[in-house]
Amino acid sequence: MGIDELIGRPPDRILLAHGAGGPAMRQLIRTMLLDDDGVFPEGGAGPGAMDDGAAIPVGDRFLVIATDSHVVSPRFFPGGDIGRLSITGTVNDLAMMGAIDVVGLTCSLVVEEGFYGEELARVQRSIRATCREAGVRVVTGDTKVMGRGEVDGMILNTTGVGWADRVLPTGGLSAGDKLLVTGHIGDHGLAILALRHDLGIQGDLRSDCAPLNDLVRVLLEVGGDDVVALTDPTRGGLTAALHEMGAGSGVGVLVDESAVPVRDEVRAAADLLGIEPMHMANEGKAVIGVRASAADRVLAALRDHPLGRDAALVGEAIDEYVGRVLLDTGFGRRILAEPDGEPAPRIC
Amino acid sequence: MGIDELIGRPPDRILLAHGAGGPAMRQLIRTMLLDDDGVFPEGGAGPGAMDDGAAIPVGDRFLVIATDSHVVSPRFFPGGDIGRLSITGTVNDLAMMGAIDVVGLTCSLVVEEGFYGEELARVQRSIRATCREAGVRVVTGDTKVMGRGEVDGMILNTTGVGWADRVLPTGGLSAGDKLLVTGHIGDHGLAILALRHDLGIQGDLRSDCAPLNDLVRVLLEVGGDDVVALTDPTRGGLTAALHEMGAGSGVGVLVDESAVPVRDEVRAAADLLGIEPMHMANEGKAVIGVRASAADRVLAALRDHPLGRDAALVGEAIDEYVGRVLLDTGFGRRILAEPDGEPAPRIC
């Protein structure tokens, strides 16, 4: 059955995979949440509801709006916490659309009755510190309390509004464009999983959770119109991001496996857990499509930025294998299959 | 201990009252969520973080942002459901700030693993229908799935962005201004409570859940600058709304109890439950402060609108009893004490 025939047909039951950032989630959104009648309509300058946010033309600029609810478990982890994640997640969604001039963020808290006030205060301090780091403000909020047992601790929704001079689509690649990642892959997902599974090596694993708006500012200054596609490899990891970029652009993606930066400790933890780091969420990385002629210039500029020191050229867009990702392993080429999203629930 | 001394001091544990829209919630927000250092800063044109949203000056207009998470239980009730509520709640928060030119809404879904797809589809249909009714669009969203037992069914966050030519504060009253309500009070709260308590009269009780942007458009056309204060009596009901308006304006509020419109069936249910309808949430009503000279003209215009047919003049701002609400019962005057917010959790 094609996607078109599924429109309006709900799944029988919601599965964890429906929130995992992969094909099941995209199908849920396409079949239930999109229609041509008021909800997620076409239009605006953004390439549609499957992007990181919406872009609305206002004068000669675009007002970009992005939203994320954060349910990460555990709430505190090496390299971050739910407060830091909620600010960086939304700042990054805006930045991935080109909206680095942030008007403001909202922060809506749903908290369980009996939650410790000191823990809430700790999350609030982290929100404040991350706002200062990113140079953004929370301008309004909402607070709801649910009864004991009705929600596991807390949920934070952060919605962001910003201005973009030009909207950067996820799916703006043409064959021949180069693909860059801004650093090591899999850090966030493996840090969370190592903590949950008590792997004993968790001290070496840290979430990469960081606001990317300044890195994107540098990218746009140096790359200009040669930057053609941008997204962040969050749920579903680099694998999902590359599939979205390729499918959205109508191209295939060829990746040089040995060029994808993965930390040794992330590789070790992933091997222990039997998972692929490229499938795991990142919270401080971007995947960038650039014209081939600009790749070296952009890569050098990224490496000059504290959040891009380990940036790498990992692949290119090709005109075969449209919508698929081809992995050059060094011993041959194989299709990088997309799993049904992030292999762990509540990763962000 | 004054509020100033409480800044930064978290409560020991979060209580249901911290989400109930009354003094405990306002104190939580003042003591934990506000600071002068990035989060809920002063500035913007809005009267501060205690209002329905934030207003940011852009050129000669204001970009208004409002957010609400919806946790109502049960999810379907006479007169509405969680989907309708999530759209009207945010459309109304924008409208109460004067932002009737809506740019777009976001809709972020957190849903429990195992949730029935058909129920989710029913909520989505309601969201679409309410968007059409209000003339607004959902432009982007987010989907998270939590494990079984980690969240009770679903939570919907809706954030709205709109333009206001002029920001209408909650606290814009001066002594002598008249207070209008746009219709019957207590309908939403009592409809939910009657359903929960299986009162048997629930068929007669319907939530008033409705988008007020068109009513506010008429209000602003007819009332112009004579409209000085506006809010909606949601959590904590008319009682909380009047306290916020009075305290925010530095005036007292005198209310003629017999003039407050309450349906007979709402009064009956409230009496059975031993609660005061004025304390209960409304989801399709506004409280309006107008210059005395404009009160009749504005009231007549409201009554010409389908959502304002039962509008009434209920009181006035006075220069005594600052921050308090004085109730004229017909047998004398008494202070209308503010309970610790909405007497029922998960009302919206």
Side-chain angles (χ1 to χ4, degrees):
Chain A
M1 198 182 308
I3 282 294
D4 288 347
E5 297 163 60
L6 282 165
I7 298 284
R9 296 194 192 198
D12 180 37
R13 296 276 200 137
I14 299 300
L15 310 174
L16 287 171
H18 285 120
M25 188 172 102
R26 291 200 294 272
Q27 181 175 316
L28 180 75
I29 295 172
R30 286 203 190 93
T31 55
M32 296 196 55
L33 310 182
L34 302 180
D35 73 356
D36 55 6
D37 200 359
V39 178
F40 292 133
E42 299 198 31
M50 301 309 290
D51 221 312
D52 299 286
I56 292 114
V58 177
D60 58 355
R61 301 181 84 189
F62 298 91
L63 193 64
V64 176
I65 310 175
T67 188
D68 254 324
S69 290
H70 296 86
V71 299
V72 65
S73 174
R75 285 184 287 277
F76 297 88
F77 46 83
D81 56 66
I82 190 170
R84 179 171 176 81
L85 193 61
S86 70
I87 301 301
T88 59
T90 296
V91 166
N92 292 352
D93 277 349
L94 291 176
M96 295 306 122
M97 302 279 289
I100 51 177
D101 176 4
V102 178
V103 174
L105 307 183
T106 67
C107 192
S108 178
L109 167 70
V110 177
V111 60
E112 185 179 10
E113 180 189 10
F115 196 89
Y116 284 102
E118 185 43 53
E119 184 173 343
L120 184 56
R122 201 176 149 198
V123 172
Q124 290 297 335
R125 287 193 294 271
S126 173
I127 287 175
R128 287 173 195 173
T130 312
C131 280
R132 281 194 294 273
E133 182 181 336
V136 300
R137 311 185 304 167
V138 173
V139 294
T140 190
D142 178 52
T143 307
K144 293 284 181 342
V145 181
M146 292 175 79
R148 279 175 203 267
E150 294 178 346
V151 64
D152 180 20
M154 69 185 288
I155 297 174
L156 274 180
N157 175 280
T158 317
T159 301
V161 179
W163 292 103
D165 291 325
R166 174 182 154 226
V167 175
L168 285 166
T170 299
L173 298 174
S174 306
D177 292 340
K178 299 296 181 187
L179 289 162
L180 314 177
V181 299
T182 61
H184 292 106
I185 290 300
D187 292 8
H188 176 75
L190 267 304
I192 299 286
L193 279 197
L195 201 57
R196 278 194 211 155
H197 291 271
D198 198 16
L199 287 194
I201 52 168
Q202 67 222 36
D204 302 321
L205 294 172
R206 290 179 66 80
S207 167
D208 57 348
C209 188
L212 295 173
N213 47 343
D214 191 62
L215 184 72
V216 171
R217 183 185 58 73
V218 169
L219 170 70
L220 296 178
E221 278 173 14
V222 172
D225 288 345
D226 289 328
V227 179
V228 293
L230 185 62
T231 194
D232 53 350
T234 53
R235 279 178 290 176
L238 182 61
T239 308
L242 293 174
H243 276 86
E244 283 170 19
M245 292 178 103
S249 308
V251 298
V253 168
L254 175 64
V255 173
D256 174 2
E257 188 171 27
S258 66
V260 176
V262 178
R263 293 182 200 280
D264 290 343
E265 54 270 37
V266 166
R267 176 80 63 197
D271 285 350
L272 270 173
L273 294 167
I275 53 180
E276 166 54 53
M278 282 198 280
H279 298 347
M280 301 299 296
N282 308 273
E283 293 291 346
K285 299 288 155 40
V287 189
I288 304 165
V290 292
R291 298 291 178 225
S293 59
D296 289 344
R297 184 175 87 238
V298 168
L299 192 58
L302 292 174
R303 285 179 173 163
D304 269 348
H305 192 280
L307 292 174
R309 273 195 296 260
D310 301 302
L313 195 163
V314 299
E316 62 183 324
I318 56 177
D319 54 14
E320 303 167 288
Y321 298 94
V322 172
R324 310 182 87 170
V325 177
L326 204 59
L327 202 63
D328 186 331
T329 63
F331 306 100
R333 293 180 172 185
R334 66 174 176 87
I335 296 287
L336 177 66
E338 189 179 13
D340 218 350
E342 182 64 38
R346 298 183 63 182
I347 207 82
C348 63
Chain B
M1 197 181 309
I3 281 293
D4 288 347
E5 297 164 61
L6 281 166
I7 298 282
R9 296 194 191 200
D12 180 35
R13 295 277 200 138
I14 299 300
L15 311 174
L16 287 172
H18 285 120
M25 188 171 103
R26 291 199 294 271
Q27 181 175 315
L28 179 76
I29 295 173
R30 285 203 191 92
T31 56
M32 296 196 54
L33 310 184
L34 302 180
D35 73 358
D36 54 6
D37 201 359
V39 178
F40 291 134
E42 300 199 33
M50 302 308 289
D51 221 310
D52 300 286
I56 291 114
V58 177
D60 57 355
R61 302 180 84 187
F62 298 91
L63 193 64
V64 176
I65 310 174
T67 188
D68 254 323
S69 290
H70 297 87
V71 299
V72 65
S73 174
R75 285 184 288 278
F76 297 87
F77 45 83
D81 56 66
I82 191 171
R84 180 172 176 81
L85 193 61
S86 70
I87 300 302
T88 59
T90 296
V91 166
N92 292 350
D93 277 349
L94 291 177
M96 294 307 122
M97 302 279 288
I100 50 177
D101 176 5
V102 178
V103 173
L105 307 184
T106 68
C107 192
S108 178
L109 167 71
V110 177
V111 61
E112 185 179 11
E113 180 189 11
F115 196 89
Y116 283 102
E118 183 44 52
E119 184 173 342
L120 183 55
R122 199 176 151 198
V123 172
Q124 291 297 335
R125 287 192 295 269
S126 174
I127 286 175
R128 288 173 194 173
T130 312
C131 280
R132 281 194 294 272
E133 182 181 336
V136 300
R137 309 186 305 167
V138 173
V139 295
T140 190
D142 177 52
T143 307
K144 293 286 181 339
V145 181
M146 293 175 78
R148 278 174 203 268
E150 292 178 348
V151 65
D152 180 19
M154 69 184 290
I155 296 174
L156 275 181
N157 175 278
T158 317
T159 301
V161 178
W163 292 103
D165 291 325
R166 174 182 155 229
V167 175
L168 285 166
T170 299
L173 297 174
S174 306
D177 291 339
K178 299 297 182 186
L179 289 162
L180 314 178
V181 298
T182 60
H184 292 106
I185 290 300
D187 292 7
H188 176 75
L190 266 303
I192 298 286
L193 279 196
L195 201 57
R196 278 195 210 154
H197 292 271
D198 199 15
L199 286 194
I201 50 168
Q202 66 221 40
D204 301 323
L205 295 172
R206 289 179 67 80
S207 166
D208 57 347
C209 189
L212 294 174
N213 48 341
D214 190 64
L215 184 72
V216 171
R217 182 185 58 73
V218 169
L219 170 70
L220 296 177
E221 278 173 15
V222 172
D225 288 346
D226 289 328
V227 180
V228 294
L230 185 62
T231 194
D232 53 348
T234 52
R235 279 178 291 175
L238 183 61
T239 307
L242 292 173
H243 276 87
E244 283 170 18
M245 292 179 105
S249 308
V251 298
V253 168
L254 175 63
V255 173
D256 175 1
E257 188 171 27
S258 67
V260 176
V262 178
R263 293 182 201 279
D264 290 344
E265 55 270 37
V266 166
R267 176 79 64 199
D271 285 351
L272 269 172
L273 295 166
I275 54 180
E276 166 53 54
M278 282 197 282
H279 297 348
M280 300 301 294
N282 309 273
E283 294 291 346
K285 299 288 153 42
V287 189
I288 304 164
V290 292
R291 298 291 179 228
S293 59
D296 289 343
R297 184 175 86 239
V298 168
L299 192 57
L302 292 174
R303 286 179 174 164
D304 269 347
H305 192 280
L307 292 174
R309 274 196 295 260
D310 301 301
L313 194 164
V314 298
E316 62 183 324
I318 56 178
D319 55 13
E320 305 167 289
Y321 297 94
V322 172
R324 308 182 89 170
V325 177
L326 205 58
L327 202 63
D328 187 330
T329 63
F331 307 99
R333 292 180 172 187
R334 66 175 178 85
I335 297 286
L336 178 66
E338 190 180 13
D340 219 349
E342 182 65 39
R346 299 183 63 183
I347 208 83
C348 63

